[in-house]
Amino acid sequence: MDCVFCKIISGEFSSYKIYEDNDIFVFLDINPMEPGHTLIIPKEHTLDLITINNDILIKILNSAKDMGKLLMEKMNADGFTLIQNNGISQEVKHYHLHVIPKYKKKRKMDIEEVYKILTN
Ligand code: 5GP
Ligand code: ZN
């Protein structure tokens, strides 16, 4: 299947991986809205909120808790926002939950630096 996120999971395309287990894969968004912008995806290809398996959805939400904590602790984020697009607002047709850190003061950092902070 010609899916960019499936190719990231398989390793065909590289990514800044933060975490993976049997069911989910967590990595940095290549075009971040804020430094530390992360995507959480199921390993099994599925389109969106309507089609995703409920048990996997709970795993993804639990991972969002962990990711939010990590962003606040390691990136000193002042908060975080979850976004999940469906239908015409969804660009990549493989379910993904955005975890977007929020900062009181605008921050600019390159993705390599963010990756080092989050994985150390
Ligand atoms: P959507 O609008 O579908 O919710 O958002 C798709 C997100 O995937 C965007 O934030 C975009 O930057 C991100 N994205 C698209 N292609 C790639 C890629 O090849 N690698 C990574 N890490 N993120 C991607
Ligand atoms: Zn896919």
Side-chain angles (χ1 to χ4, degrees):
M1 193 190 304
D2 199 23
C3 168
V4 62
F5 286 177
C6 282
K7 287 179 178 171
I8 284 175
I9 292 163
S10 74
E12 187 181 338
F13 290 172
S14 65
S15 69
Y16 293 96
K17 182 177 84 182
I18 305 294
Y19 173 81
E20 81 173 300
D21 62 24
N22 284 339
D23 299 313
I24 66 169
F25 193 95
V26 183
F27 59 110
L28 294 179
D29 193 299
I30 204 69
N31 188 20
M33 291 169 70
E34 301 282 351
H37 181 165
T38 304
L39 300 173
I40 308 175
I41 64 178
K43 280 197 167 169
E44 190 175 331
H45 181 94
T46 191
L47 175 61
D48 64 10
L49 186 64
I50 308 293
T51 62
I52 194 168
N53 170 283
N54 285 345
D55 293 334
I56 302 294
L57 189 59
I58 288 169
K59 283 202 77 172
I60 287 174
L61 214 46
N62 269 314
S63 174
K65 278 173 128 177
D66 295 341
M67 203 55 227
K69 259 195 283 180
L70 193 74
L71 289 165
M72 293 186 75
E73 284 168 13
K74 291 208 166 178
M75 289 293 292
N76 297 315
D78 299 297
F80 61 95
T81 298
L82 306 182
I83 293 177
Q84 193 269 310
N85 292 313
N86 302 273
I88 58 164
S89 49
Q90 181 181 7
E91 184 197 327
V92 177
K93 302 300 186 189
H94 180 134
Y95 176 100
H96 51 283
L97 179 63
H98 298 255
V99 182
I100 305 167
K102 298 289 170 173
Y103 303 97
K104 283 185 196 152
K105 268 181 76 180
K106 186 81 191 158
R107 291 178 73 178
K108 232 181 122 47
M109 278 170 83
D110 71 44
I111 197 163
E112 298 270 354
E113 195 183 341
V114 171
Y115 181 70
K116 270 189 207 146
I117 291 171
L118 288 176
T119 54
N120 270 333

